[in-house]
Amino acid sequence: MAQKPSIPKGTRDFSPAEVAKRNYIFSTIKTNFEKFGFQPIETPSFENSETLMGKYGEEGDRLIFKILNSGDYLGKADATLLENRDSLKLTSHISEKALRYDLTVPFARYVVQHQNEIEFPFKRYQIQPVWRADRPQKGRFREFYQCDADVVGSNSLWQEVELVQLYDSVFSQLGLGGVTIKINNRKILSGIAEVIGASDKLIDFTVALDKLDKIGADGVKNEMLVKGISETAIEKVQPLFNFTGTINEKIEKLAQLLANSEEGMKGVNELQFICDNVSTLGLQTAFLDLDVTLARGLNYYTGAIFEVAAPKGVAMGSIGGGGRYDDLTGIFGLKNMSGVGISFGLDRIALVMEEVGLFPATVLATSKALFLNFGDKEALYSMKAIGKLRQKGIKVELYPDKSKIDKQFKHADRRDIPFAVIVGESEIEREEFGLKNLATGEQQKVDFETLVALLK
């Protein structure tokens, strides 16, 4: 008995209609990336393990898909590790490569490897799939696309201002108004950890704080306690669990809390600059908000951090995120190269747009007309016209088989093709075409020029 085909959990097949919708989002994002001066690059789907491991924190490392070495990978493994079944230590012996977890670390590797060919500041965009060994759930997949825009080689906070505008421009053009662009600063989180006496637990503190909207205040407190953060420190950070007001009011509260932290006040001043200028320049449809619990557990962010939330009423996780990394390329030997970037979560954006009904009807990648097939003579006449129509950018096709006409009409209907073109002996004699609107049933005889006009 033949095996029933399936695909791995957390991956998906995409129908023609779904691909057309995704391409619509890709095209919108790409157009805006280029409008803002970003240039495209691509990197391999897998990297050397040493390039990726240790760059995303303990949680991130666990989610990296490792690729087994070719050939007899166990034959070359350490016998003691095999006997002890020590999978963590054994991994480096049997796997030298891994699927990329994101596009940022491969980008840092690219910058270092090609630094002599690059003009800095370098503004690059990248639209490619990434892989994470995560638990699949709604809006969370093991294979998904990231759409990244990064600037490397500039310390200017105007880059952060522009990236907020870029988010706003893309989501406005997609018709997805009302998204919230959340902003925070890792210097502020470092400052808070400093003033509560938990600087040595900064990563544990930020990873726990980042989960506030998922597990609530009590869950965050319990996780901090488990990680060794004292009850006294947690008590000092209590106000952060219900931090309300306007951006300026929040910044003022932070300035008071962090008055004795030089690092924290740097973060406050950076936030003030970004938020003030975004407010002055204005946004089209998005909202900017300061979220002091926004931590993003990735190790490499050092300044501003971003996360984009779907419009209110749409149950979905973040649909974008990013931040400033002062020395990401330093891990590959190129020091003092600051960068900042953002990412769009294509798959979640598509789910949100589907839920809200924002895809235009014209997005579907269907032909504009189907030429019916009455026989070889009629098909040849049709194919000559089809060639000319395609040269004019009009999507048309010929039904390949000489089948019953009802079957051909049903094929067009199921494909959502709006017009059928009928060519019989009389049409050939008069050099005409029968054009039928499949929605209204209206049918007319037209010459080629009129056919072009009506199908355009």
Side-chain angles (χ1 to χ4, degrees), residues 12 14 22 141 143-145 345-352:
R12 295 152 297 162
F14 296 103
R22 289 163 64 83
F141 307 102
E143 178 186 61
F144 57 97
Y145 268 81
L346 169 95
D347 299 280
R348 290 186 176 184
I349 293 170
L351 287 172
V352 171

Side-chain angles (χ1 to χ4, degrees), residues 68-78 82 90 93-96:
L68 290 174
N69 293 339
S70 301
D72 184 13
Y73 54 87
L74 285 180
K76 301 174 184 177
D78 185 283
L82 277 172
L90 185 62
H93 289 256
I94 64 174
S95 172
E96 297 172 355

Side-chain angles (χ1 to χ4, degrees), residues 47-95:
E47 298 270 353
N48 292 325
S49 296
E50 60 195 30
T51 299
L52 303 179
M53 298 299 291
K55 311 302 189 301
Y56 306 100
E58 187 179 331
E59 286 194 2
D61 279 357
R62 284 201 299 268
L63 301 181
I64 292 175
F65 275 110
K66 286 80 176 178
I67 300 173
L68 290 174
N69 293 339
S70 301
D72 184 13
Y73 54 87
L74 285 180
K76 301 174 184 177
D78 185 283
T80 304
L81 295 177
L82 277 172
E83 187 177 340
N84 295 336
R85 297 187 179 184
D86 190 335
S87 58
L88 290 178
K89 291 181 180 177
L90 185 62
T91 300
S92 62
H93 289 256
I94 64 174
S95 172

Side-chain angles (χ1 to χ4, degrees), residues 372 405-413 420 422 436 438:
L372 304 188
I405 298 305
D406 281 352
K407 182 179 179 181
Q408 298 188 43
F409 274 123
K410 285 178 182 177
H411 178 77
D413 187 52
I422 301 162
K436 184 172 184 177
L438 297 180

Side-chain angles (χ1 to χ4, degrees), residues 9-10 56 60 62-65 99-104 130-136 140-144 146 296 298 300 343:
K9 289 181 179 179
Y56 306 100
R62 284 201 299 268
L63 301 181
I64 292 175
F65 275 110
L99 293 177
R100 60 171 173 247
Y101 175 91
D102 73 352
L103 299 177
T104 306
V130 299
W131 295 267
R132 297 184 184 179
D134 217 339
R135 184 170 64 86
R140 179 169 292 183
F141 307 102
R142 287 175 171 171
E143 178 186 61
F144 57 97
Q146 281 189 340
R296 298 185 68 84
L298 304 180
Y300 49 71
S343 180

Side-chain angles (χ1 to χ4, degrees), residues 85-300:
R85 297 187 179 184
D86 190 335
S87 58
L88 290 178
K89 291 181 180 177
L90 185 62
T91 300
S92 62
H93 289 256
I94 64 174
S95 172
E96 297 172 355
K97 300 176 184 66
L99 293 177
R100 60 171 173 247
Y101 175 91
D102 73 352
L103 299 177
T104 306
V105 169
F107 172 52
R109 190 265 310 150
Y110 176 94
V111 169
V112 175
Q113 199 168 336
H114 300 274
Q115 57 185 288
N116 295 327
E117 309 154 29
I118 292 173
E119 172 62 28
F120 295 102
F122 180 45
K123 300 176 74 170
R124 89 82 170 85
Y125 77 82
Q126 200 169 345
I127 300 176
Q128 288 186 278
V130 299
W131 295 267
R132 297 184 184 179
D134 217 339
R135 184 170 64 86
Q137 53 187 288
K138 183 184 178 182
R140 179 169 292 183
F141 307 102
R142 287 175 171 171
E143 178 186 61
F144 57 97
Y145 268 81
Q146 281 189 340
C147 310
D148 283 14
D150 288 78
V151 187
V152 67
S154 171
N155 296 304
S156 172
L157 293 175
W158 285 110
Q159 305 290 2
E160 278 85 339
V161 173
E162 273 217 314
L163 289 174
V164 172
Q165 291 181 315
L166 176 54
Y167 266 141
D168 177 50
S169 180
V170 168
F171 288 118
S172 296
Q173 192 170 331
L174 288 173
L176 197 58
V179 303
T180 299
I181 304 167
K182 300 177 183 178
I183 187 172
N184 197 12
N185 194 298
R186 283 300 287 263
K187 293 185 180 73
I188 284 174
L189 294 167
S190 298
I192 293 170
E194 180 187 336
V195 298
I196 67 174
S199 291
D200 61 327
K201 300 283 186 181
L202 173 62
I203 297 299
D204 292 331
F205 168 74
T206 56
V207 167
L209 190 63
D210 196 28
K211 298 177 181 176
L212 182 64
D213 60 337
K214 299 182 184 76
I215 62 177
D218 290 339
V220 171
K221 292 174 190 174
N222 290 335
E223 184 163 326
M224 287 183 176
L225 286 170
V226 168
K227 293 293 186 180
I229 298 172
S230 70
E231 290 191 20
T232 304
I234 295 172
E235 188 65 30
K236 290 180 181 178
V237 86
Q238 182 78 29
L240 298 182
F241 296 153
N242 187 26
F243 207 66
T244 58
T246 66
I247 289 180
N248 283 330
E249 288 169 347
K250 290 177 182 177
I251 289 176
E252 181 59 34
K253 291 176 186 177
L254 285 173
Q256 294 172 10
L257 178 64
L258 300 171
N260 295 323
S261 169
E262 182 181 351
E263 180 78 354
M265 286 307 298
K266 283 182 183 176
V268 170
N269 292 333
E270 288 179 10
L271 269 182
Q272 188 83 62
F273 179 91
I274 297 165
C275 295
D276 282 354
N277 282 292
V278 169
S279 176
T280 300
L281 293 167
L283 297 174
Q284 298 175 61
T285 62
F287 301 102
L288 182 66
D289 187 33
L290 167 56
D291 183 354
V292 77
T293 68
L294 177 59
R296 298 185 68 84
L298 304 180
N299 283 348
Y300 49 71

